[in-house]
Amino acid sequence: NEHPTLLARFLRAREGLRAGNIERRRTHTASIWKNTPGLQGIAELEAMVNEFPMWHGTTSLRAAGGVCEIGFDIGCAGSSTGSVYSPGFYLADDPRVSHGYTKAPWSVSSQYSKLSVMLLCRVLCGNIKDSPHPPSEEQKEQLTAKCLGPGGTFGAAAEYHSVLGGNYAYVCFHRDQVYPAFAILYRL
């Protein structure tokens, strides 16, 4: 996905995180990205701000196209599956988790049937708040505030920048944290 506006927003958000004191983490998909010759050179992931490649399952090609065209929209967050850990954009390090959110497969033609679509995104995780259990509604509001920071503006001043829910779902709260880099059509 080549979208200059979305990429510029993402890079500006990444620049803003550089001023923060970020506790570095690792993910499985990031090591695959780093060690796959075909992905090297496409984009350098910035480890000092916990920029990771993550998977996002979508319900349809139209939904994936919408995200690639206008970016992630907080108004649509949780509209198809809810928001167990907080309203936000849900991504996973494990593509099997994101596949579970792709809904029923669809077909383009008889030759291209039973397809699903996922997005492989560049994600600015920053400081990650671990949340092993779903929070209460009041705790969700507190998590959102801690991740968006003073004045609701994403950046280095926030205590946290994303939530790792149940050790499987990364939740981001600001549209500029997530850049939809690739739309991947596949069949199992």
Side-chain angles (χ1 to χ4, degrees):
N1 183 36
E2 293 184 21
H3 195 296
T5 302
L6 297 180
L7 184 58
R9 289 177 185 165
F10 177 82
L11 294 175
R12 189 171 44 249
R14 184 172 77 176
E15 181 66 31
L17 274 186
R18 288 182 182 143
N21 185 17
I22 307 296
E23 180 185 330
R24 295 206 26 208
R25 301 263 192 119
R26 297 182 189 275
T27 66
H28 177 70
T29 304
S31 63
I32 291 171
W33 183 289
K34 183 179 178 182
N35 295 315
T36 302
L39 292 174
Q40 294 171 1
I42 290 175
E44 286 295 319
L45 301 175
E46 195 162 313
M48 70 179 268
V49 295
N50 287 334
E51 178 184 350
F52 301 126
M54 298 255 173
W55 302 95
H56 179 75
T58 61
T59 56
S60 67
L61 184 59
R62 181 177 178 176
V67 172
C68 289
E69 183 63 30
I70 63 167
F72 282 84
D73 180 352
I74 197 67
C76 297
S79 60
S80 66
T81 57
S83 54
V84 173
Y85 289 95
S86 272
F89 313 117
Y90 282 64
L91 301 111
D93 184 35
D94 184 341
R96 294 171 296 185
V97 171
S98 294
H99 172 72
Y101 294 91
T102 60
K103 303 292 181 189
W106 45 272
S107 299
V108 175
S109 67
S110 59
Q111 183 180 1
Y112 299 104
S113 62
K114 298 182 182 175
L115 297 173
S116 296
V117 62
M118 278 197 288
L119 299 174
L120 180 56
C121 303
R122 293 171 61 186
V123 182
L124 299 172
C125 289
N127 282 324
I128 302 167
K129 171 68 174 162
D130 290 300
S131 181
H133 306 289
S136 68
E137 290 303 314
E138 182 179 325
Q139 291 169 326
K140 286 181 186 181
E141 288 181 24
Q142 293 168 356
L143 279 173
T144 302
K146 286 180 179 183
C147 289
L148 287 177
T153 305
F154 176 78
E159 183 177 354
Y160 297 102
H161 304 99
S162 60
V163 171
L164 175 55
N167 206 31
Y168 71 92
Y170 288 80
V171 185
C172 296
F173 300 88
H174 196 278
R175 69 177 188 184
D176 298 345
Q177 277 182 271
V178 186
Y179 179 70
F182 301 97
I184 300 170
L185 299 172
Y186 63 98
R187 176 177 23 206
L188 292 180

